[in-house]
Amino acid sequence: MSGMMYRVTQWEYARLEYRAAGTLGTDKFEDWDAVFHHPGGVQRWGTDERFNDLRHLNRAGAEGWQAYDRAAMIIGQPHRLHAVTYSLRRPVER
């Protein structure tokens, strides 16, 4: 290397929590809440009647966020998906 410094991307980070709402009601599908946590605060992105995280991931992607990790929380016997958390990042404009 000739002493050149290459540009390093600076990132801001966020997370999308997609969690079972615990309101089964009389239907057989559980409701799911989407909550977006970012440097500017917390935004509630709505409740879905069925698991449909793609709609929320596409919304985040449209705002420049990239998902780089996913963690699932499974509870009970038999196992049941309780929550999925997506780690997101996007480049910071200088």
Side-chain angles (χ1 to χ4, degrees):
M1 304 273 263
S2 60
M4 295 177 64
M5 294 194 61
Y6 294 96
R7 181 178 171 171
V8 176
T9 302
Q10 291 185 343
W11 300 95
E12 64 179 334
Y13 294 90
R15 77 178 183 272
L16 173 62
E17 290 182 349
Y18 200 58
R19 179 175 303 271
T23 54
L24 284 170
T26 58
D27 59 4
K28 71 177 194 175
F29 298 104
E30 187 156 19
D31 292 344
W32 291 83
D33 289 330
V35 180
F36 184 67
H37 302 263
H38 60 99
V42 177
Q43 294 177 345
R44 192 169 183 288
W45 279 5
T47 301
D48 300 325
E49 290 196 13
R50 292 186 183 193
F51 187 90
N52 182 14
D53 58 348
L54 275 181
R55 180 170 67 103
H56 304 290
L57 289 170
N58 286 336
R59 178 178 174 181
E63 295 177 13
W65 294 99
Q66 302 171 5
Y68 68 91
D69 193 28
R70 176 184 68 203
M73 179 187 292
I74 299 172
I75 62 171
Q77 284 293 340
H79 292 313
R80 194 175 96 204
L81 183 63
H82 177 68
V84 181
T85 301
Y86 295 92
S87 299
L88 307 167
R89 68 182 182 186
R90 70 177 173 189
V92 176
E93 299 294 324
R94 294 186 203 194

